[in-house]
Amino acid sequence: MYRLSENGEIIDSFDVNFSNRYYFGRPYLSLDKRLYYIGMYGTTDAFYTQRYAAFELNKNLDIIRSFESPLIFRPGKGFNSIAFTSDGSLGPLFDACVYNDTIFMYGRYLMVDSPSVMLGNTQYYFKAHFNGTIYEDAEMPYDWAYNCFFKENNLYVQGSCFDPTDVERPKAVGWYNYRGDWIKGWDFDNSTSGEFPWGACGGFIGKRLFFSYLGRDPNLSGCPSLNVAIDVRDFDFKPLHRFKISQCDYLYSGKMPFAMARDGSIYFRAVHKSYKKFILQKYGRDMELIWSREFEVDNDFFTVPFEMVPSADGGVLMGCYQELNNVRRVHLYKFSPNGDPVVSAQEAAYEPLRAEPSV
């Protein structure tokens, strides 16, 4: 895990894999600005050695305290970290948080009976205190899960249940409390609009939910063909804004394709179906378009944006997953509040962006 400056320079790092252990997880910044690394690990000398683990780190990335669960006595290889769908989504199937010194984790677990025989997958909800007390370690009754995220100690799961006779489990996005009990949900709307937000990307920004998926409703504004859609809802899942972007042939990507700038405006990004360019847009508070920029990447790699965070100057930082011939890497970009690429001379020489005219 690396800490980077806004120019992409490595400031310091935390070596996650140590003592013959291999970790899978994610960094998490709590509400009180404490930094954690949360996930699970296995060892290289035995197959069934998975344990849940969490570290609290100080500003120098030194470990302050840690949590380690007993052995997980079920066959598996750990949480599945990445999902590609035919619509072009790329996002972790795992999320975690710390709330009042309690660790919350949720993710898809790969079920195997040997390192090479896959038996399927299931979803598990885990909750424990940093002092070692375990509250929950249970399978969740979902048919499938494509994205999940926490808001404080509440869990939201997308793509959970497709059974039209099941009235208790939500069909598109489910809201669950700290015990893992279902509170309410947003159902699929196949019978009327044709929307099918299975595999959607999104999460909370402030008091609104932002989602992106492939818009199948021909009545939505924007590109008339199948294209990436933006869906903004309130806390009770009531639709506030729903539309497709006007540029055609774009797909949703990443776990959370939205970010809020310091002035309250909203950044949105999507990937072109060729995976050779991406689009970055900026919207006002009421989702009125401020500007839209398309960028082509000058290399042979297939590029998928997967992470985006606001920068201190009002712009945005974007991480892209790139792959070619089994070579995988992450490339970082920075954009100004006007959508201009902000790169150093060294970065520009390595991989320049071609920006099409601003809209």
Side-chain angles (χ1 to χ4, degrees):
M1 182 172 68
Y2 297 95
R3 175 161 39 204
L4 307 175
S5 71
E6 288 200 351
N7 296 321
E9 301 167 340
I10 297 176
I11 300 174
D12 52 17
S13 63
F14 169 63
D15 189 359
V16 176
N17 297 318
F18 55 89
S19 300
N20 202 33
R21 298 176 178 180
Y22 283 81
Y23 285 85
F24 166 75
R26 58 156 294 184
Y28 175 79
L29 189 65
S30 69
L31 293 175
D32 54 3
K33 305 301 183 183
R34 289 186 289 176
L35 179 63
Y36 299 91
Y37 184 89
I38 315 173
M40 62 189 307
Y41 77 83
T43 61
T44 59
D45 54 1
F47 185 59
Y48 300 115
T49 57
Q50 288 78 30
R51 297 177 189 266
Y52 297 110
F55 303 101
E56 182 179 329
L57 309 171
N58 63 18
K59 63 180 181 180
N60 297 319
L61 298 186
D62 300 318
I63 297 176
I64 300 175
R65 55 179 176 164
S66 62
F67 166 85
E68 184 177 289
S69 76
L71 278 174
I72 302 170
F73 293 108
R74 53 179 176 262
K77 290 184 66 178
F79 284 119
N80 190 5
S81 61
I82 291 177
F84 276 109
T85 76
S86 59
D87 293 340
S89 76
L90 169 67
L93 305 178
F94 162 78
D95 203 11
C97 76
V98 175
Y99 186 79
N100 290 341
D101 285 339
T102 301
I103 304 160
F104 296 84
M105 298 170 60
Y106 173 82
R108 181 193 293 177
Y109 204 91
L110 300 181
M111 306 300 288
V112 298
D113 64 3
S114 73
S116 60
V117 179
M118 177 74 174
L119 300 178
N121 62 80
T122 187
Q123 283 70 240
Y124 274 87
Y125 179 69
F126 181 78
K127 176 185 173 185
H129 197 275
F130 252 103
N131 63 15
T133 303
I134 297 176
Y135 303 114
E136 301 282 350
D137 184 11
E139 183 177 352
M140 298 290 273
Y142 303 148
D143 294 316
W144 205 254
Y146 266 88
N147 186 27
C148 59
F149 53 93
F150 282 94
K151 182 176 177 61
E152 297 178 352
N153 60 348
N154 283 250
L155 171 66
Y156 292 79
V157 179
Q158 296 173 250
S160 56
C161 180
F162 298 93
D163 182 358
T165 65
D166 191 334
V167 296
E168 293 185 357
R169 284 178 283 178
K171 315 302 188 295
V173 180
W175 171 21
Y176 298 82
N177 66 16
Y178 64 95
R179 293 187 300 268
D181 300 326
W182 177 66
I183 300 174
K184 63 173 62 176
W186 158 32
D187 286 347
F188 288 121
D189 192 16
N190 294 325
S191 61
T192 56
S193 71
E195 288 302 276
F196 190 61
W198 171 52
C201 311
F204 263 103
I205 297 180
K207 295 183 179 180
R208 293 187 292 174
L209 284 154
F210 288 78
F211 297 106
S212 175
Y213 49 85
L214 204 60
R216 292 168 170 81
D217 184 356
N219 298 316
L220 287 182
S221 62
C223 176
S225 62
L226 208 62
N227 203 52
V228 68
I230 292 175
D231 191 312
V232 183
R233 296 178 178 251
D234 66 14
F235 192 70
D236 291 319
F237 302 113
K238 178 183 177 182
L240 302 175
H241 307 280
R242 293 177 69 189
F243 59 92
K244 293 184 287 186
I245 67 173
S246 59
Q247 295 82 357
C248 293
D249 299 326
Y250 272 90
L251 309 171
Y252 58 89
S253 70
K255 183 176 178 66
M256 179 54 173
F258 301 90
M260 185 169 68
R262 300 183 67 181
D263 62 359
S265 57
I266 300 295
Y267 288 102
F268 170 73
R269 51 110 180 100
V271 64
H272 191 265
K273 67 179 183 180
S274 67
Y275 300 103
K276 298 297 184 181
K277 65 179 182 179
F278 57 85
I279 194 168
L280 179 64
Q281 298 182 325
K282 188 175 184 178
Y283 292 88
R285 295 173 183 266
D286 293 323
M287 298 306 292
E288 68 277 11
L289 183 63
I290 298 174
W291 51 254
S292 179
R293 304 284 296 272
E294 293 183 276
F295 299 94
E296 294 187 24
V297 181
D298 286 338
N299 61 38
D300 294 327
F301 281 74
F302 292 92
T303 299
V304 181
F306 71 91
E307 188 72 50
M308 189 165 62
V309 295
S311 57
D313 61 2
V316 71
L317 297 167
M318 183 188 299
C320 290
Y321 174 87
Q322 297 185 326
E323 182 173 358
L324 179 66
N325 297 329
N326 292 322
V327 176
R328 300 176 179 89
R329 66 186 188 186
V330 172
H331 195 80
L332 303 178
Y333 300 102
K334 181 181 179 182
F335 299 92
S336 73
N338 295 322
D340 296 323
V342 181
V343 295
S344 66
Q346 180 180 1
E347 288 172 324
Y350 169 64
E351 189 172 319
L353 287 173
R354 294 199 307 270
E356 299 184 4
S358 177
V359 176

